[in-house]
Amino acid sequence: MSDDTRQMLLDTLERVLADHCTAERVQAVDAVGFDPDLWQVLEELGFTVAAVSEASGGSALGMADLCALLRLCGRHCAPVPLAESAVLAAWLLAGAGQAVPSGVLAFASANSRDLEITQQNNGLRLHGVLPRVAAARHAASVLVLLERDGQTQVTQLGPQDYRLEPGDNLAGEARDDLHIDTIIATDRMYRAPAGITAASIHERAALARAALMSGALERTLQQSLDYARERKQFGRALAAFQAIQQQLAILAGEVAAACAAVDHAALVADFGVATDEIAVAKIRAGKAAGLACRIAHQVHGAMGFTQEYSLQHATRRLWAWRDENGSEAAWARQFGRRLASAGADALWPLTTASGTAVAD
């Protein structure tokens, strides 16, 4: 994609989100965590199939461009599941050779701990619980990734296939448990695109989450800077106090580091395996989130904790998102194991060279 086309997409999404994600509107839909009017606009403009191939009616954007779009969504605290529906479910469904329906698609990756999969007659019996599925209550169907007998398959579940138990994360976004006891006919099972595994989808989801976090971090920084310039204490703007300046400098550094890590991981992911880069991006975004929320609320004081003030739209999302798709602690353990198993000869290239792959 040319730089001009990329900028046109970003500018278009920026205008849409600026119009639809005012503080008042985000607060108004906070109880349900989803804005159907905004989703309809995004669908009409093609953003909901941005990751889908052109042959399937999409824009075929790579991860670098998708992460740029998600950063805008995070910056505006957009109450729509664009990451889960467009970057994961629609992309995977189109890659499996199936038409992408309109509306929200939810996504879940099943494992043997949560879902029992057994052969029955001419299909598979699925029994168990898929926990905390994002936006399931807003979706017409849920795309489920299954690994069985060395094969990766996907299937679509409709409301008739599960009982939904509503749940929310700290930001008020839907994280629903799906209680499943159904038989899926073989014609509803589709082979996943080549190279797709539960691990690779987990990495893609983590990178998308980190991109959203980088946008929310930028918003937190900007709101803190604006407040420090405008708010006066003892006849001086807060920004004139050295202690406030120091904290804002730390916040700015954390935001810059997280954004750089996400950008780098997205670029590497467009050209191949980016397991280590994605691990670093999610770790860095999680660490920045903890510091950013603390500093931002300290700068704002009591005002920042009020429901009427929009800082909480970003910080609640950061608190929720840092633990989703793998916390920084989980990714740090995985990354540490890879470093430890690489051996002395591979350690230096692995820690200094971009895109270096090490077999698990």
Side-chain angles (χ1 to χ4, degrees):
M1 175 180 293
S2 69
D3 291 341
D4 289 343
T5 302
R6 183 177 191 268
Q7 192 58 51
M8 181 186 68
L9 283 174
L10 292 175
D11 290 344
T12 300
L13 184 59
E14 173 68 36
R15 289 193 295 270
V16 169
L17 295 178
D19 289 341
H20 287 77
C21 297
T22 61
E24 295 77 16
R25 185 159 176 171
V26 172
Q27 184 66 33
V29 301
D30 196 52
V32 293
F34 176 65
D35 187 340
D37 294 333
L38 173 57
W39 183 265
Q40 183 176 352
V41 173
L42 295 178
E43 194 166 60
E44 291 171 354
L45 292 173
F47 285 106
T48 59
V49 289
V52 173
S53 68
E54 293 180 359
S56 299
S59 303
L61 299 188
M63 281 306 296
D65 294 326
L66 291 171
C67 284
L69 297 177
L70 291 177
R71 179 170 294 165
L72 286 179
C73 290
R75 189 184 303 159
H76 287 274
C77 300
V80 287
L82 195 66
E84 295 83 3
S85 184
V87 179
L88 296 177
W91 171 77
L92 191 57
L93 187 61
Q98 303 301 308
V100 178
S102 60
V104 175
L105 292 174
F107 172 80
S109 182
N111 59 60
S112 57
R113 297 189 306 274
D114 300 322
L115 203 64
E116 180 184 359
I117 307 171
T118 55
Q119 190 75 40
Q120 185 164 334
N121 299 329
N122 293 323
L124 294 179
R125 181 173 181 258
L126 309 182
H127 177 74
V129 180
L130 292 177
R132 297 183 63 78
V133 178
R137 77 188 71 164
H138 308 304
S141 62
V142 179
L143 194 72
V144 180
L145 183 78
L146 307 169
E147 285 189 328
R148 183 173 178 272
D149 297 334
Q151 292 187 344
T152 305
Q153 296 176 303
V154 294
T155 186
Q156 275 184 280
L157 301 183
Q160 72 278 3
D161 296 312
Y162 55 79
R163 177 176 61 85
L164 188 146
E165 182 180 349
D168 301 297
N169 64 11
L170 187 61
E173 298 171 313
R175 298 294 185 265
D176 305 317
D177 292 345
L178 303 186
H179 297 260
I180 300 172
D181 189 359
T182 188
I183 297 177
I184 305 298
T186 54
D187 60 358
R188 292 177 60 191
M189 302 295 301
Y190 320 121
R191 185 181 296 275
I196 296 300
T197 63
S200 67
I201 287 293
H202 180 54
E203 292 168 10
R204 186 178 178 91
L207 181 53
R209 187 69 58 199
L212 286 168
M213 292 175 70
S214 69
L217 285 166
E218 289 182 333
R219 178 190 180 97
T220 301
L221 172 61
Q222 190 60 56
Q223 280 197 272
S224 299
L225 290 170
D226 292 342
Y227 185 82
R229 294 189 188 107
E230 297 166 1
R231 179 69 172 175
K232 289 182 170 56
Q233 289 282 3
F234 308 108
R236 303 167 61 192
L238 287 179
F241 291 91
Q242 187 175 10
I244 299 295
Q245 294 172 0
Q246 182 185 33
Q247 291 300 300
L248 289 175
I250 293 172
L251 174 54
E254 290 295 321
V255 174
C259 290
V262 170
D263 289 342
H264 178 64
L267 285 172
V268 175
D270 275 339
F271 293 97
V273 177
T275 301
D276 298 326
E277 289 78 9
I278 291 172
V280 170
K282 192 61 167 68
I283 293 167
R284 204 65 191 80
K287 178 178 181 293
L291 287 169
C293 291
R294 175 178 62 81
I295 292 172
H297 281 284
Q298 285 177 341
V299 169
H300 282 80
M303 174 67 75
F305 288 94
T306 62
Q307 189 174 31
E308 293 77 15
Y309 192 71
S310 62
L311 178 65
Q312 49 95 9
H313 295 155
T315 55
R316 285 192 297 115
R317 281 168 170 78
L318 287 171
W319 278 321
W321 290 344
R322 68 183 299 187
D323 290 330
E324 294 183 344
N325 308 114
S327 66
E328 61 262 35
W331 280 105
R333 285 193 297 269
Q334 177 177 321
F335 189 44
R337 285 195 295 267
R338 289 173 64 82
L339 289 175
S341 64
D345 293 339
L347 183 59
W348 181 252
L350 177 62
T351 54
T352 59
S354 172
T356 302
V358 176
D360 289 321

